[in-house]
Amino acid sequence: KQTLLPLLRGETSSFIFPCNPAPQRPELQYMVMELLRCIPILLFLLFVCGLDHFIYTVLSIIQHHSFVEYSYQSSHHLSVNVMGTSLMAELLRGTIGALNTSYESELETSNLACLPRPTGMTRQQYLSTCLPLGVLALLCLAQVYPFRLRRAIAAFYFPKREKTRVVFLYNKLLRQRKNFLHLERGRVARQARRPPGLGTLLLQWCRRRWPWMRRFLRQKCTLCGRPETPQHQPCPNPDCSALYCESCW
């Protein structure tokens, strides 16, 4: 109702406006908490990808620098010579001479079959690995918009409860507004009793000395801190330099 609207600047931060596309202050807390839950998963994913790359690098170094090739050559010659011209010598020469052999072998081998053959992950595979985490982070950011529908759904099914909640909120805001004005009056009074600082005195002197600088050296509302606009109301007391926005005034 007009007794409460427009809301003060300090009150708007505790409400969620469904038509505002930007995430609002009450929603940021849940959003940050959900994003913090994604950090352990992100750290684990980075650790696994880093470990995979480290193991691939080690195996690749072994593959390229541990290759060994062996070449083995051997030659065997067996010759039995029987001396003499007797019958026995001729007999032995005919029988044992069959044992004369000549054998040559050449063998080449390597440890190529024992070397590892690592295969590194491609960019597409890394992207496919990190894509679910990115989707999860986007869902954490976008969950605030479906959550805004909870009140509307509950109000559709329970209209009497919704009316009770609205009346309760209205009375609660009236009490808070009354206490707020009482507390702010005391704060402004305590602030007025303090001597102004050097920066405040310099700002006031510049505004009085050069009125055209007021558009650059704008004051703020004493209560809510909103920058000065043409709708701001100065204090009617000539000795007071306080400035108030329209809602606070």
Side-chain angles (χ1 to χ4, degrees):
K1 291 185 177 182
Q2 296 300 323
T3 52
L4 289 176
L5 298 177
L7 295 176
L8 301 179
R9 187 177 182 182
E11 295 173 341
T12 55
S13 60
S14 59
F15 288 93
I16 299 176
F17 298 90
C19 298
N20 189 357
Q24 299 164 56
R25 185 174 180 181
E27 299 171 329
L28 290 177
Q29 181 179 0
Y30 299 100
M31 185 187 303
V32 172
M33 292 299 298
E34 294 296 332
L35 290 176
L36 289 178
R37 294 178 182 177
C38 298
I39 292 180
I41 305 177
L42 176 62
L43 295 178
F44 176 75
L45 184 61
L46 293 177
F47 171 75
V48 171
C49 292
L51 182 62
D52 173 78
H53 182 71
F54 172 75
I55 295 176
Y56 166 75
T57 304
V58 172
L59 294 179
S60 180
I61 293 175
I62 294 176
Q63 181 187 16
H64 291 88
H65 298 278
S66 299
F67 177 73
V68 179
E69 187 176 8
Y70 303 91
S71 180
Y72 177 75
Q73 295 179 352
S74 64
S75 178
H76 303 277
H77 297 281
L78 177 62
S79 179
V80 180
N81 295 325
V82 179
M83 308 301 293
T85 58
S86 63
L87 181 61
M88 191 65 179
E90 291 291 339
L91 181 62
L92 291 176
R93 192 179 294 115
T95 56
I96 300 178
L99 299 176
N100 296 339
T101 58
S102 179
Y103 174 74
E104 293 182 1
S105 65
E106 183 177 353
L107 179 64
E108 292 184 359
T109 184
S110 65
N111 63 343
L112 183 61
C114 301
L115 292 177
R117 295 179 178 84
T119 302
M121 293 180 62
T122 61
R123 183 178 300 179
Q124 184 66 28
Q125 290 174 334
Y126 278 114
L127 181 62
S128 301
T129 305
C130 300
L131 184 61
L133 183 61
V135 173
L136 180 61
L138 290 178
L139 290 177
C140 293
L141 298 177
Q143 69 175 354
V144 296
Y145 302 105
F147 282 176
R148 293 179 183 179
L149 300 176
R150 294 180 296 180
R151 189 206 61 82
I153 296 174
F156 177 79
Y157 286 101
F158 304 99
K160 294 183 179 180
R161 174 64 65 179
E162 174 68 10
K163 183 177 180 180
T164 305
R165 293 179 68 252
V166 171
V167 173
F168 172 79
L169 178 61
Y170 177 75
N171 295 327
K172 179 183 177 181
L173 281 176
L174 286 178
R175 292 192 299 268
Q176 290 181 350
R177 184 72 60 85
K178 183 178 179 180
N179 297 331
F180 172 78
L181 295 177
H182 178 73
L183 295 176
E184 290 300 324
R185 285 194 187 99
R187 186 176 68 84
V188 172
R190 290 192 300 269
Q191 184 177 350
R193 297 189 190 100
R194 301 174 186 170
L198 181 61
T200 305
L201 293 176
L202 181 61
L203 177 63
Q204 293 176 358
W205 182 81
C206 292
R207 288 170 60 88
R208 290 193 302 267
R209 185 71 173 81
W210 299 290
W212 58 271
M213 294 187 65
R214 293 184 177 181
R215 67 175 61 183
F216 305 103
L217 302 176
R218 294 190 300 174
Q219 286 183 309
K220 295 182 179 181
C221 177
T222 308
L223 291 181
C224 64
R226 187 175 299 174
E228 180 183 2
T229 61
Q231 288 75 26
H232 277 55
Q233 297 289 337
C235 181
N237 189 352
D239 297 332
C240 180
S241 60
L243 194 68
Y244 302 93
C245 64
E246 186 178 5
S247 61
C248 294
W249 179 253

